């Protein structure tokens, strides 16, 4: 769930999370709240809403889902991800899921849309060594891979209307 919300000063922010360090391909990476489909989920939008509640404490009825974004395939985990764009207009204090989320990364809309925060990084992944990947520099973190792809789509959509 790409979740946009006003902060205390009524400035729009985007919520990302820093995943915990663990033995897995997405350890210690910046991501959106989200996860895999569970039997109780009616559809993938319900999965995104449930996971957003579990990981950062946002009740699903408090999120207005505005758009389904493009699916993104993630080779290391062999998942096809269905992201959504949502608004949390009256935010409460976020409650992180200690077992999965290391920290919240609250990015201002102005920083997100700033073209100087786009870059290309040389990274090594579980499936490739020393590859150039597009990335965002946000709040001191390098955001790349599937999350950067999703951010690029969101940025393009927002620039069409702003």
């Amino acid at each position: 769930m790409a979740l946009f919300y006003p902060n205390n000063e009524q400035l729009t922010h985007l919520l990302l999370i820093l995943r915990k360090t663990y033995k897995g391909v997405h350890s210690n990476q910046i991501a959106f709240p989200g996860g895999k489909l569970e039997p109780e989920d009616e559809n993938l939008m319900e999965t995104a809403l449930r996971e957003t509640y579990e990981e950062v404490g946002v009740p699903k009825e408090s999120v207005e889902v505005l758009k389904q974004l493009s699916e993104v395939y993630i080779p290391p985990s062999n998942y096809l991800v269905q992201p959504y764009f949502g608004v949390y207009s009256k935010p409460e204090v976020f409650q992180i899921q200690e077992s999965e989320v290391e920290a919240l990364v609250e990015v201002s809309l102005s920083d997100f849309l700033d073209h100087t925060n786009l870059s290309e990084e040389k990274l090594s992944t579980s499936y490739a060594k020393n590859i150039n990947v597009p990335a965002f520099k946000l709040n001191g973190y390098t955001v790349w891979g599937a999350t950067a792809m999703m951010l690029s789509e969101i940025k393009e959509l927002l620039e069409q209307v702003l």
Side-chain angles (χ1 to χ4, degrees):
M1 180 65 66
L3 193 64
F4 287 84
Y5 62 96
N7 70 356
N8 291 338
E9 290 82 39
Q10 297 303 301
L11 298 173
T12 302
H13 278 66
L14 167 64
L15 183 67
L16 297 167
I17 60 170
L18 174 62
R19 296 218 175 273
K20 288 278 193 184
T21 300
Y22 62 95
K23 289 185 188 256
V25 295
H26 302 299
S27 172
N28 200 39
Q29 290 182 357
I30 300 294
F32 290 109
K36 67 179 184 172
L37 181 72
E38 297 292 343
E40 67 270 16
D41 298 333
E42 290 180 33
N43 53 48
L44 291 173
M45 187 172 78
E46 287 296 318
T47 301
L49 291 166
R50 176 184 52 76
E51 286 282 347
T52 300
Y53 174 70
E54 290 175 5
E55 292 183 350
V56 297
V58 177
K60 68 180 185 177
E61 59 276 0
S62 297
V63 177
E64 179 184 0
V65 178
L66 300 178
K67 183 163 181 52
Q68 177 177 307
L69 301 169
S70 299
E71 291 179 328
V72 178
Y73 177 67
I74 304 176
S77 54
N78 195 31
Y79 275 106
L80 184 61
V81 175
Q82 177 58 73
Y84 294 87
F85 181 111
V87 175
Y88 183 31
S89 4
K90 295 181 181 165
E92 299 291 324
V93 176
F94 295 111
Q95 302 293 320
I96 67 169
Q97 184 180 29
E98 300 283 339
S99 61
E100 291 189 30
V101 178
E102 183 65 33
L104 299 177
V105 180
E106 300 180 72
V107 179
S108 72
L109 181 63
S110 59
D111 283 348
F112 173 55
L113 294 176
D114 184 345
H115 291 287
T116 64
N117 288 325
L118 291 173
S119 67
E120 192 171 272
E121 298 286 320
K122 185 170 282 216
L123 297 172
S124 292
T125 69
S126 60
Y127 58 93
K129 301 291 181 219
N130 295 319
I131 57 170
N132 288 324
V133 297
F136 286 80
K137 293 287 193 176
L138 300 170
N139 293 28
Y141 295 99
T142 299
V143 184
W144 58 282
T147 304
M149 291 171 65
M150 293 176 224
L151 285 172
S152 293
E153 180 179 3
I154 294 164
K155 187 174 187 295
E156 185 176 313
L157 289 168
L158 289 173
E159 287 174 342
Q160 289 174 15
V161 297
L162 295 178

